Amino acid sequence: MRAIAVQGGKGPATAMHVTDIPKPVPAPGQALVKIRAFGLNRMDLLQREGLYPLPPQAPVTMGVEFSGVIEGFGDEAAASKCGFKNGDEVFGLAYGGAYAEYIIVATKMLVHKPKELSWEEAAGIPETWITASQALLLIGEFKSGQSVLWHAGASSVSISGIQLAKAEGASAIYATAGSQEKIDFLEKELGVTKAFNYKTDDWASEIQKLTNGAGVNLTIDFIGAPYFQGDLDVAARDGRVVLLGLMGGGKLPDGVNIGPLLYKRVRVEGSTLRSRDVEYQGKLRDTLVEHALPKFCDGSFKVFVEKVFPFEEIIAAHQLLESNQTKGKIICVMGGQ
């Protein structure tokens, strides 16, 4: 089958190319899916550069979220018990391998694709919405009436999380982003309470003013070190900070005051998704099906797709993601289908 590989195993976007690799064979508990579309994620950039520690069950081929059609099972006799059959249209989350014509994936990580969703939209849901649900509800323990701050507000995970927070009854939703276009998108299209341009605004001071010093109950941070002091400063008493990425680095600058951790009883917790076992991921998949899928079907939740590329234009797709200019998902589609 055709798949995307990286020349030399790691390198820049231009090192990627289409190649032929063996078609995977599903084991018991797995399905073989012919891919129609797959979503790009920032972890893909890190993996391509050799900077992402792969879980042991992940293939070298990139890509964790996809949509497609089931073509087989590792155990045909047991397949009917999992609620899927050959020919079913699905989308799902895998440990890797989605940058290809076929993928094998645990059946418990598959979701039936509703007719209301396109292949492109369905491929943009699994990683982002499951990550957002995990951060907001499972780790952040978000409750109705609380406030939340999403950094990298125009990223796909934050776009998902903002919609989830609204649906869960947030009292206020704040966000940071890097351009006026993104600020306008967040405030006017997604309806956040207030968005801040991190290049020109002192978001921590502004949030303190807006909340009369009370701060926010939960902060979801993908940036890391440069935002850590601000995260502590804006945290409400018994507030929580969920760290999902280190885009700004992992080493704290000199002078960081960790006092708020103590006197505001702030809890900081880091988390990843891809390294979790399939049982944990499966529970999150069930949360997606129960809480989010009906809202996709009735249109109250939306998948924001920035641009769709043909599979063969993967280099351009990665370069666009690297530009940090996007609002929402970048999707690749397989041709000749």
Side-chain angles (χ1 to χ4, degrees):
M1 67 173 182
R2 293 186 307 153
I4 302 295
V6 182
Q7 194 74 36
K10 63 180 180 179
T14 51
M16 292 187 296
H17 60 99
V18 178
T19 188
D20 285 311
I21 64 172
K23 185 175 172 180
V25 178
Q30 293 181 327
L32 175 70
V33 177
K34 182 175 176 61
I35 289 181
R36 296 296 298 267
F38 59 86
L40 272 61
N41 292 283
R42 198 156 289 277
M43 76 175 85
D44 302 348
L45 306 182
L46 296 173
Q47 181 177 338
R48 190 200 71 218
E49 294 167 356
L51 301 174
Y52 193 98
L54 291 181
Q57 61 272 65
V60 295
T61 304
M62 290 176 283
V64 298
E65 58 181 353
F66 61 91
S67 61
V69 180
I70 294 178
E71 285 205 359
F73 295 92
D75 183 352
E76 295 287 351
S80 59
K81 298 178 183 177
C82 70
F84 295 97
K85 63 183 185 304
N86 286 336
D88 279 354
E89 297 182 349
V90 294
F91 63 97
L93 185 68
Y95 285 106
Y99 285 26
E101 289 183 302
Y102 291 88
I103 190 170
I104 52 171
V105 60
T107 54
K108 64 177 59 181
M109 293 310 298
L110 290 173
V111 179
H112 289 284
K113 185 184 85 65
K115 64 181 185 305
E116 293 88 351
L117 292 174
S118 68
W119 294 111
E120 293 84 358
E121 289 170 329
I125 290 174
E127 170 67 19
T128 48
W129 283 84
I130 287 177
T131 298
S133 299
Q134 178 195 28
L136 187 77
L137 303 173
L138 194 65
I139 300 170
E141 298 176 353
F142 182 81
K143 301 290 189 296
S144 178
Q146 293 185 335
S147 56
V148 60
L149 165 62
W150 289 88
H151 290 308
S155 69
S156 295
V157 173
S158 290
I159 289 172
S160 306
I162 288 165
Q163 294 180 75
L164 279 168
K166 287 178 71 175
E168 294 292 328
S171 60
I173 303 173
Y174 304 104
T176 59
S179 70
Q180 189 58 46
E181 180 188 2
K182 290 180 179 180
I183 298 297
D184 291 342
F185 166 75
L186 289 164
E187 292 182 347
K188 297 173 183 176
E189 197 153 349
L190 285 185
V192 305
T193 309
K194 181 67 177 173
F196 306 93
N197 188 330
Y198 65 82
K199 296 176 182 176
T200 57
D201 299 330
D202 183 345
W203 55 267
S205 296
E206 292 296 318
I207 289 174
Q208 289 292 72
K209 290 177 191 172
L210 283 172
T211 61
N212 294 316
V216 293
N217 300 111
L218 174 61
T219 295
I220 313 291
D221 185 5
F222 308 82
I223 312 302
Y227 282 15
F228 190 71
Q229 185 69 71
D231 291 344
L232 297 184
D233 291 344
V234 304
R237 187 174 295 275
D238 293 312
R240 296 166 305 287
V241 178
V242 178
L243 189 63
L244 295 182
L246 298 170
M247 291 171 62
K251 293 187 177 180
L252 293 177
D254 290 340
V256 168
N257 174 23
I258 63 171
L261 279 170
L262 181 66
Y263 63 76
K264 291 199 285 188
R265 300 190 297 266
V266 178
R267 191 181 85 203
V268 179
E269 185 169 348
S271 184
T272 58
L273 176 61
R274 195 175 182 182
S275 60
R276 304 280 192 168
D277 63 40
V278 74
E279 296 298 327
Y280 179 96
Q281 292 191 7
K283 291 175 183 175
L284 288 169
R285 173 260 182 213
D286 294 343
T287 300
L288 169 73
V289 171
E290 182 180 346
H291 292 280
L293 200 58
K295 291 183 169 66
F296 286 117
C297 294
D298 68 20
S300 53
F301 279 175
K302 184 177 178 183
V303 184
F304 289 85
V305 176
E306 174 82 14
K307 190 166 183 180
V308 177
F309 289 88
F311 169 76
E312 294 81 6
E313 294 181 18
I314 188 65
I315 292 174
H318 266 233
Q319 289 173 336
L320 178 57
L321 184 58
E322 287 176 321
S323 75
N324 291 327
Q325 301 300 308
T326 55
K327 304 182 300 296
K329 294 298 297 189
I330 297 172
I331 303 292
C332 287
V333 293
M334 305 303 294
Q337 305 193 53

